[in-house]
Amino acid sequence: MLFADRLDIFNPGGLTPALSIKQLKKEHRSYPTNPKLAELMYQAGYIERFGTGTKEIFQQTKNAKLKEPTFDFESGFEITIWRPKPQQAPGKHPASTATAGQQQDNSRATVGQQQGNSRAIDSLVIVLEGEMNRVQIQELLGLKHKVKFLQNYLQPAISDGFIELTIPEKPKSPKQSYRLTSKGLQLQKKLRSSKK
C-alpha cells in the first residue's frame, strides 16, 4: 500500500524464529519456508543470493538518506519503507506535491484498470456506513481474500481520497477502521440516488 509518506509491503508469512530484526540488517543465512521454490527463483534470476534482500533494503534506504525501515510481525510479515519528504516549491501547497506521484501513477494505468478500480471503489463506497473495520467491509462485499481486497478495493479508495483511516498515525493498529471522507460521502449519495 502506497501512502504519501511510506510504502507498506506485506504478506501472510512470518519471520522464522531463527532470525531477529537485528540479523535482518546484515548478511544472514536464509530460512525459506519452501526451499525448492526458493532454489527455482534463484536459478530463474528472480532473486540474487539467499539472505541478502533485507540487508539490501537497509543499505539502499541508508544511501538515500531515508528513515530506517520498520518491521511488524503482528499479522504476518510487514515492512514499512519511508518515502522522502516532498520538496515544496515556493508558493505551492504541500498537497499538490504529495499527490504528484499518485497522479503520474494513475496516468500510466490502462483504461481497463481505471474502470476496474472505479467499479471496486463504487462497490466499497456504497456499502460503507460509519466506521467499519476491514473484516466487516469484506463480509458486506462477499470478499474472502485479504490481499486482493486491500490491493483492488481499499488502497485505491484511500489513494483517491474516498476513504480514510480512523487511526492514521497507527495504520497497522488491530483497532483500525475506515470511514468515508466528504468526497466519499458525496460519491455514496450519488451512487445510491442512481440506484433508486
Side-chain angles (χ1 to χ4, degrees):
M1 296 179 74
L2 183 64
F3 298 91
D5 64 338
R6 69 192 184 280
L7 171 66
D8 287 342
I9 304 167
F10 52 88
N11 69 42
L15 183 65
T16 174
L19 287 173
S20 66
I21 293 175
K22 188 176 178 181
Q23 289 171 299
L24 292 177
K25 298 180 185 182
K26 55 188 180 183
E27 200 159 324
H28 56 273
R29 288 189 59 198
S30 177
Y31 300 90
T33 304
N34 188 330
K36 290 182 180 179
L37 180 60
E39 179 63 25
L40 286 172
M41 297 289 279
Y42 172 73
Q43 290 180 6
Y46 288 107
I47 57 177
E48 291 179 9
R49 287 184 297 132
F50 299 154
T52 60
T54 49
K55 178 191 169 198
E56 183 72 10
I57 290 170
F58 278 101
Q59 188 60 52
Q60 291 293 333
T61 52
K62 184 178 179 182
N63 293 347
K65 296 181 171 51
L66 297 176
K67 184 177 168 184
E68 187 175 272
T70 55
F71 289 88
D72 180 14
F73 306 112
E74 201 170 291
S75 56
F77 183 95
E78 184 168 352
I79 180 172
T80 297
I81 299 174
W82 301 96
R83 300 178 70 187
K85 291 181 181 176
Q87 296 296 320
Q88 186 178 345
K92 287 205 172 185
H93 191 276
S96 63
T97 54
T99 58
Q102 294 170 349
Q103 290 168 352
Q104 190 176 7
D105 288 342
N106 288 344
S107 69
R108 290 190 197 126
T110 65
V111 173
Q113 287 172 322
Q114 289 170 347
Q115 289 173 343
N117 282 349
S118 177
R119 284 193 295 269
I121 290 171
D122 289 355
S123 301
L124 177 50
V125 166
I126 206 162
V127 301
L128 189 54
E129 288 292 341
E131 296 181 357
M132 300 174 74
N133 64 36
R134 177 190 57 79
V135 175
Q136 291 171 320
I137 301 168
Q138 279 188 237
E139 284 176 358
L140 281 174
L141 292 170
L143 301 171
K144 297 191 183 295
H145 198 280
K146 176 184 174 182
V147 175
K148 285 184 180 176
F149 168 72
L150 293 173
Q151 290 175 344
N152 300 331
Y153 290 77
L154 194 58
Q155 167 57 30
I158 293 169
S159 295
D160 289 353
F162 293 105
I163 289 180
E164 62 186 5
L165 288 73
T166 57
I167 317 173
E169 67 279 6
K170 293 183 180 178
K172 302 170 217 165
S173 170
K175 296 179 182 179
Q176 188 64 258
S177 290
Y178 305 90
R179 63 182 167 231
L180 293 172
T181 61
S182 56
K183 183 179 175 182
L185 288 166
Q186 288 174 5
L187 177 61
Q188 187 184 70
K189 186 177 178 181
K190 180 182 170 185
L191 290 169
R192 289 182 174 179
S193 63
S194 69
K195 288 203 169 215
K196 287 180 182 178

